[in-house]
Amino acid sequence: VKTQIKEKQETLNSIFRAAPVGIGLVSNRIFKWTNPRMSELTGYSQEELAEQSSRMIYPSEEEFLRVGQLKYKDIAEKGTGIIDTTWLCKDGSIKQIQLSSAYIDPDDSDKGAIFTALDITKNKQTEATLRMSNDKFRLLVEMTPDFIWEVDAAGKYTYVSPKSTVLLGYQANELLNK
């Protein structure tokens, strides 16, 4: 039995070390333990995080309160709370994090909640760059004096530039899907 318990503990420890996400346990929003990846994400050692308020990784009191309110509401309603948030790292850098949490025992929140923290900073930066590129393209198309359109495989308009009104006499939305 002791051998089985030891093997399970070693397996669990290996999972915590290998996981590409931060993992930890919080009770009343106090860190009880974290995996090594949490230290990589935040810059704080596991010892520095242990028994500290999770407030230390939020850039503002407002964000700390927002996350707590929404996440724990979702946990109560759905069993799991998932939220995108911002963390302030030890070196002063900011990271975008997707945080997911669930109570160890849904009937006893005092036992704490397990959380995972995924760094989505690069994804958010890529989304912002793509949005800016799309906005520039849309502005360029809308400002050109030419009629620009896009059709699907069936030959129906999926995009019509605003110049359709001047050149064809139709509003752009009148031509869509025709």
Side-chain angles (χ1 to χ4, degrees), residues 162-172 174-175:
K163 288 298 176 187
S164 64
T165 304
V166 175
L167 299 172
L168 302 176
Y170 293 99
Q171 295 295 322
E174 293 177 280
L175 295 172

Side-chain angles (χ1 to χ4, degrees), residues 18-89:
V21 297
I23 302 173
L25 170 67
V26 291
S27 181
N28 297 314
R29 301 192 78 185
I30 303 293
F31 292 115
K32 296 302 177 181
W33 57 260
T34 58
N35 72 339
R37 179 71 178 130
M38 265 299 285
S39 295
E40 292 174 26
L41 281 173
T42 65
Y44 292 100
S45 70
Q46 290 173 279
E47 295 76 22
E48 288 174 306
L49 291 170
E51 298 303 324
Q52 297 299 313
S53 169
S54 59
R55 169 64 183 93
M56 71 188 286
I57 59 173
Y58 288 94
S60 68
E61 184 72 15
E62 293 78 21
E63 182 65 2
F64 173 72
L65 294 173
R66 181 188 77 84
V67 169
Q69 180 183 29
L70 295 174
K71 187 178 61 153
Y72 288 105
K73 178 179 178 272
D74 281 351
I75 292 172
E77 292 173 1
K78 304 173 193 171
T80 304
I82 301 173
I83 190 166
D84 289 354
T85 186
T86 304
W87 278 3
L88 176 64
C89 300

Side-chain angles (χ1 to χ4, degrees), residues 10-172:
E10 288 172 349
T11 300
L12 192 56
N13 287 339
S14 180
I15 291 169
F16 290 147
R17 283 191 314 272
V21 297
I23 302 173
L25 170 67
V26 291
S27 181
N28 297 314
R29 301 192 78 185
I30 303 293
F31 292 115
K32 296 302 177 181
W33 57 260
T34 58
N35 72 339
R37 179 71 178 130
M38 265 299 285
S39 295
E40 292 174 26
L41 281 173
T42 65
Y44 292 100
S45 70
Q46 290 173 279
E47 295 76 22
E48 288 174 306
L49 291 170
E51 298 303 324
Q52 297 299 313
S53 169
S54 59
R55 169 64 183 93
M56 71 188 286
I57 59 173
Y58 288 94
S60 68
E61 184 72 15
E62 293 78 21
E63 182 65 2
F64 173 72
L65 294 173
R66 181 188 77 84
V67 169
Q69 180 183 29
L70 295 174
K71 187 178 61 153
Y72 288 105
K73 178 179 178 272
D74 281 351
I75 292 172
E77 292 173 1
K78 304 173 193 171
T80 304
I82 301 173
I83 190 166
D84 289 354
T85 186
T86 304
W87 278 3
L88 176 64
C89 300
K90 185 176 181 177
D91 67 5
S93 64
I94 298 287
K95 289 188 178 168
Q96 300 296 315
I97 300 292
Q98 185 172 73
L99 191 60
S100 179
S101 303
Y103 288 128
I104 290 175
D105 180 349
D107 297 323
D108 186 0
S109 63
D110 288 339
K111 290 183 180 177
I114 295 292
F115 69 87
T116 62
L118 177 64
D119 185 352
I120 56 171
T121 305
K122 288 181 182 172
N123 296 12
K124 292 290 187 177
Q125 290 168 341
T126 301
E127 287 174 11
T129 301
L130 184 57
R131 227 178 355 266
M132 285 176 38
S133 178
N134 285 342
D135 290 346
K136 286 179 186 178
F137 178 73
R138 184 175 32 261
L139 183 61
L140 178 65
V141 167
E142 290 175 358
M143 299 305 287
T144 188
D146 298 322
F147 173 53
I148 299 174
W149 68 94
E150 179 181 60
V151 295
D152 63 14
K156 293 183 179 183
Y157 289 108
T158 57
Y159 175 82
V160 179
S161 69
K163 288 298 176 187
S164 64
T165 304
V166 175
L167 299 172
L168 302 176
Y170 293 99
Q171 295 295 322

